[in-house]
Structures are given as structure tokens and as C-alpha cells.
Amino acid sequence: MQRGSDRLSVHRDDEMKHELQGLLRSGHPTRAEEWHDPEPSAEDDPQVAGGPVAPGSSAASLETVRLELARILSRHSFPAGPRELVGELRRGHAPDVLVDPVGRLPRSERYANVQQLAEALTGGGSGGERRQGA
């Protein structure tokens, strides 16, 4: 049964299905023209394809660790100590390479936001305290 609200004709719909078959079967773009393919990642993009970023690794900058933590932790998670943050990370299904370093932080410390937590994990500067006091 043909609905009158279709934006594309039946022929164009079949043509689009045929165009996608190669992509769906092969798992990568199959077009000859490069302008159809998605752009590769830039040099300053966070590492995604290599797996989760582990604090303390060579690829773990303050920004990438902060990005990984912010994907899982919400504003409602703070202020908190390492024990509460480990629980939040586990509930958010965070990878162990991210949870374990948080669990090794001093239990007496409390973190007001993701920035302070990321600085503690990477050994970053004390910029979080200056901003908090301002």
C-alpha cells in the first residue's frame, strides 16, 4: 500500500537501498569518489579508536582524561570522594583502566568537579583550586 506522504519515489528508494548494500556488507565505504567518504579524525581529536584512555599512559592528557570522565560522571556526582566516584563509574560501566586510578586516589580527598578529578589523575596543575576560589 502506497502512502501519499512519501518524500521519495519508489524508484529513488530502491536506488538508495542499492547504494547502501556495499557499505552494509563490507563495513567500509565502497564509493570511488573520496568526497562521499567521512573525514578522517584530526590530529587534535581525542583518542577513540585505540580504546579507553588510561590515566598515566602516554596518550592521557588532561583534556582526554577529563573528556572520558565527563562522558560518565554527571554534575550530580560531585562533590565526592574517590569511593563514591568509583561507585558512580562502575554504575556507568566505565572501563577498569579508568576506574582503578580513581580508586587509588587518597580517600580523604574530595573533588568538586570533573576538572579537579582529572587534574588529580594526571598530575595536572592546580588550576581547579584557583577557579573555585574566584
Side-chain angles (χ1 to χ4, degrees), residues 22-86:
L23 174 64
L24 295 174
R25 287 185 182 163
S26 68
H28 59 83
T30 57
R31 297 183 184 267
E33 297 90 9
E34 285 185 19
W35 60 271
H36 282 293
D37 296 340
E39 278 189 41
S41 61
E43 290 177 6
D44 59 347
D45 285 348
Q47 177 185 1
V48 175
V53 175
S57 68
S58 62
S61 68
L62 175 65
E63 292 80 16
T64 56
V65 171
R66 185 179 60 218
L67 175 69
E68 287 292 316
L69 289 168
R71 287 181 340 111
I72 300 163
L73 298 173
S74 68
R75 290 182 184 174
H76 304 293
S77 303
F78 296 97
R83 181 174 285 167
E84 296 98 340
L85 292 170
V86 165

